[in-house]
Amino acid sequence: VQLQASGGGLVQAGGSLRLSCAASGHSFRLYGVGWFRQAPGKEREFVAAVSGSGDRTYYADFVKGRFTISRDNAKNTVSLQMNSLKPEDTAVYYCAADFPYSDFSLQYAHWGRYDYYGQGTQVTVSS
């Protein structure tokens, strides 16, 4: 599985962006997908994740109510709709895919538990 993240850019506070994670390879529907972000000088942190079928979603507390993760397995894509953006959302955003040999609900927030990683896409929110 290869992942390609896109959709980042520069936006004013309060604005919106939609990130996409496009996957190549077979059986994408079997993979849980997560979004993570890393701001300069900070640790990488979990943002949101979705199960392979799309029936379960998970969010970090700081994005609940503002971000929505979704997937289209027919198109092998996972999207992250980001609304009400804040300057503190500025970071490089990464998507990652996990073949859940164990329960995805127990590992979705752990970067090191994923199997495949995409390159980052920069999101910059100006005040």
Side-chain angles (χ1 to χ4, degrees), residues 22-68:
S24 63
H26 300 290
S27 302
F28 179 64
R29 61 180 175 78
L30 299 178
Y31 290 78
V33 174
W35 284 97
F36 294 77
R37 70 186 187 185
Q38 188 166 21
K42 295 187 177 181
E43 295 288 321
R44 183 180 292 111
E45 61 184 356
F46 167 74
V47 176
V50 60
S51 63
S53 63
D55 62 339
R56 290 173 291 155
T57 57
Y58 310 91
Y59 296 94
D61 287 343
F62 56 79
V63 302
K64 285 182 180 177
R66 300 190 298 126
F67 292 10
T68 302

Side-chain angles (χ1 to χ4, degrees), residues 10-14 85-88 90 124-127:
L10 173 64
V11 64
Q12 289 187 333
L85 284 162
K86 304 174 181 180
E88 51 264 44
T90 295
T124 303
V125 184
S126 62
S127 58

